[in-house]
Amino acid sequence: MFGLGADGRIWPETAEAAGDLDDAVVGPHGLVGLIESQLGLGGPTISHPSRVAAWLSKMRAAGSGRFWAQSFDKDPWSTAETLLDWRDALVDGGWTGQRVGAARIDDLADAGHAGAPLPPSLADRLALAALSVADRPGLRIASLALIEPRDLAPPAIARLLDALEAAGVEINPPSAPTLAAAGSDLRRVQDALAGGGRDALTGDGSLVVIQSDTAVMAAETVADWLASGPADAVILAPDGDTALLDRALKARGLPALGLSGASPWRGALQVLPLAFATAWRPFDARALLDLMTLPRPPISRWAARRLARTLAEHPGTGGAAWLETWAGLEARLLELNAAEEDPEGKTDQTLAQWRAWTQVGLHDRAVGMPLDAVREIAGRVAAWAIRIDAAGQDPLLLGVASAAGALVDAATRLESPVIPALLLERMIGQVLADGVSNPAHIAEAGALRAVRVPGALWRSAPRVIWWGFAGPGERVAPERWDRAERVALATAGVTVETSAAASARVGAGYARVVMNAAEQMLLVRPALAGGEPTTAHPLAHQLRPLLQGAADGVFFRAERLLAEPVADLARRSISRTPVATVDPPAGAPRWTVAADLSAVLDSRVESATSLDRLFNCQMGWFAQDVLGLRRGRHAQLPETSQLFGALAHEIARRLLPAGPPPPWAEVRASALALFDELLPAMAAPLARPEHAGELAAAREQVPAAMEALVRLLHERGLEVVGAELSREGRFGDLPLTGRIDLMVRRGAEVAVLDLKWTRSDRRYVSMVADGVAVQLAVYHALARTDGVVAPGGYFLLRQRRVVASAGSFLTGDPVEAVRPDDDTLRIVSQDWAAWTALARNGVLVAAGLQGSATDRPDDLGFAAPAEPCRYCDLTGLCRINVEAL
């Protein structure tokens, strides 16, 4: 049995009910493969990207002055892919690569003869098979029964059928389908599609159009219908994905259909593009972070987590934090390998494999990547996939290895020592374009079957459900050749299929689905699919004259099942029992904690950040600082302002050792050198092209800020006590910890300077003026061990300004503050005690919810915040924000 849609999953699976070793149901790939195996014509399967790369190389070898020259200069890959389709369409029409006297076709002919041979397409294989069956012994095909009419076959298939018939193979026409009962709506539609009259539909349930607002409701309706009677039907799913419908079927105890759409975005497949994305300069820290946080990273998960954590905190490689993390990985590996015969050797081997994945930023995008590097990266990805699979035949891992191998083959066929970045990315996208189906989504045993294409339903079935009966349907290639070119082709014996002929074949395939429904047919069309509005299917336009004015029962609104306890659909009665509507949990300003928190709170040491969070929202403090909840790792790459601030802090630490400040005249040059040195090690995202403007500004602003800071130290007569000092201390019962950016001394007094990279000084001026600078108050307490502590202040790097209160020796232009740092520190301690006492009693207050003021402790020094949830990442936890259900 031969049909154009019979490659892949079909129904029925065999020509005979009991099966027969001498019978097969095949499509174009199956038929040509059968002939090739019998005549010894077979060869290795060549991927489509490899063919595109080979054709691109041939187009380049054909020389300049071709009709594709301008497009080829701008986007060689897309141009080659398009023109390869044109060339294959010509071969399908019988073209053998000869010049025909038409400029564009002759250019394609010249490209075909230039360079290395082009791997064959299906059209090439069909042409070779047609030439070979007449003069080669060994063909063992006795008869071929067609599923579609012979006159609808594409040219290459038609020539092969003619050749088989000439070789003695019996070619049988399609058998007549088993039509629905006479007088039924389905039979009226079948008669009309066969060219008969158009009788009005009565709504007898043999043909029903199910309409729904969403695909979810459509799936519920189909599953209910199947569950309310014999669950024996063939489901046509043109998009190749029944995951949504399968969920509804399994909820009713019915077998899953198991069709899964192939996706290029499945986790393991991302190892290939991410491995290449990290290799470009400037280094893409996001790509490496994504690679380390994949469900199956290319190195051990525990090691990937450590590297991801370091990268999120210091986005770069080669810095102190990065080297310290690698030292920790080595120590851990030595522990794990302690029982091995050569623990150091095995550790070194493992580390070398891991380091290969983090050797980043090696190749300049403007130059391209050498072919050897492409082979090395793709080969490493393939080796990883095969090693992880360990002969387990995991489709996803095998797909990764196959894609990597296809990329190497395609890159080699380009015949270029260096591959431009854009071209390489196009090639990677091409080898991953087909994707891989969900390996966990499989068909289950039962009487339900699913097929992907109309032609796969090649024999009559009692019940047929067209799932996703929506447009645009199968696309037909537009006309590529003008009248003169068609005449030249016809003179050369080439018959290129017209768009009209292809449309007629596609339309006949749609109609054949209806003709193969023997008893009932359901056409299911949701108004929305995947969040997008659907369009009418081409067959729906053909059926419109029959469906207009049809009786009740021909159309069924799926949403009726939500309102009616019993609904009649396609000769079945569907019953639904209403359930009580339950509202989702609402946000509550007061939360009760069942466990005693005393032990947890007694062991806590607070920082300025945690105290700020406590005074802003006790619930947020408990969730993030006590429980340690954090947003996902992918979201934790710092913003550009944070990266510039981190760079400035590290530059200040290196420029300002303890003692007198450095000479003012040398600071700018030293700061600029440190900026360029530290950028790739701890702020690599800033070197990305999208941040070019900000980076250029910061390269001026950061050294200027360091110069202003050192000038301040000289002008105020200050000595550096230390930079980036980690301190712990207490203020009464409040245990504190922190990292002081800069501590300075004048005589017996010390003060702290907190360095900030901010666009506006308004916030910090307001905090000092209102006496709510918690960070300065905490640092005030931590600095007490070094002598008498004067009021501290903020040094705003971009503004090159000190913001400090009266009494501070840091500035001659103090901010009038309502209270000194000592009083702010006392209020911090007082409010901390009040909030933690409330937590010890099992009460937490979510500050963003209405009514939270009632549960706040009395006599707090810090007022309730105006916008407590503005910068919180966990607003879904206390249900300040609730997603629509």
Side-chain angles (χ1 to χ4, degrees), residues 653 656-661 713 718-727 740-753 782-789 809:
R653 185 187 71 81
L656 300 175
L713 298 179
L718 305 178
E719 180 182 350
V720 177
V721 177
E724 298 294 323
L725 299 174
S726 295
R727 292 296 182 90
I740 298 173
D741 291 350
L742 186 63
M743 185 184 295
V744 295
R745 181 190 303 276
R746 188 169 74 175
E749 287 187 301
V750 296
V752 294
L753 266 175
L782 295 177
R784 290 188 172 207
T785 57
D786 289 88
V788 180
V789 183
F809 57 70

Side-chain angles (χ1 to χ4, degrees), residues 576-617:
R576 280 199 164 204
T577 303
V579 297
T581 301
V582 179
D583 293 328
R590 176 189 175 102
W591 291 66
T592 302
V593 183
D596 184 3
L597 297 178
S598 297
V600 176
L601 296 179
D602 287 343
S603 63
R604 278 196 55 75
V605 178
E606 303 292 348
S607 66
T609 301
S610 68
L611 288 169
D612 263 328
R613 199 140 41 207
L614 174 63
F615 303 152
N616 180 68
C617 175

Side-chain angles (χ1 to χ4, degrees), residues 186 268 285 363 415 545 731 780 856:
L186 180 55
H363 307 286
E415 301 179 354
F731 183 79
H780 189 90
R856 287 172 60 85

Side-chain angles (χ1 to χ4, degrees), residues 229-430:
D232 55 346
V234 178
I235 289 90
L236 170 62
D239 64 353
D241 195 338
T242 60
L244 185 62
L245 182 55
D246 282 347
R247 288 179 180 272
L249 292 174
K250 289 177 71 66
R252 291 156 179 81
L254 298 177
L257 301 169
L259 284 185
S260 174
S263 171
W265 304 111
R266 304 199 186 279
L269 290 179
Q270 299 312 301
V271 172
L272 183 63
L274 290 174
F276 279 93
T278 60
W280 293 115
R281 189 170 61 244
F283 164 52
D284 187 351
R286 171 71 67 178
L288 184 56
L289 183 61
D290 288 345
L291 186 63
M292 292 296 110
T293 51
L294 285 173
R296 273 193 285 203
I299 67 175
S300 293
R301 282 191 180 91
W302 65 268
R305 282 196 296 268
R306 292 191 185 185
L307 290 173
R309 190 180 306 117
T310 301
L311 194 64
E313 295 170 358
H314 306 279
T317 58
W322 186 255
L323 298 177
E324 182 181 347
T325 300
W326 277 105
L329 297 183
E330 182 177 6
R332 177 61 176 155
L333 278 175
L334 286 171
E335 291 178 14
L336 296 174
N337 296 332
E340 298 289 337
E341 182 178 343
D342 182 11
E344 286 152 0
K346 185 169 183 181
T347 296
D348 291 343
Q349 181 183 7
T350 303
L351 286 174
Q353 292 174 350
W354 290 358
R355 288 185 191 279
W357 294 98
T358 59
Q359 290 177 352
V360 295
L362 302 177
H363 307 286
D364 192 338
R365 287 186 63 90
V367 176
M369 187 177 294
L371 177 59
D372 288 343
V374 174
R375 289 171 173 163
E376 187 278 325
I377 296 173
R380 178 171 11 111
V381 172
W384 164 80
I386 294 171
R387 184 176 66 252
I388 294 298
D389 181 56
Q393 299 300 306
D394 185 325
L396 197 53
L397 291 172
L398 294 180
V400 176
S402 175
L407 179 62
V408 171
D409 186 43
T412 303
R413 291 177 185 274
L414 286 176
E415 301 179 354
S416 174
V418 177
I419 302 178
L422 178 59
L423 178 57
L424 181 57
E425 287 168 354
R426 288 292 181 88
M427 295 169 65
I428 294 170
Q430 187 76 64

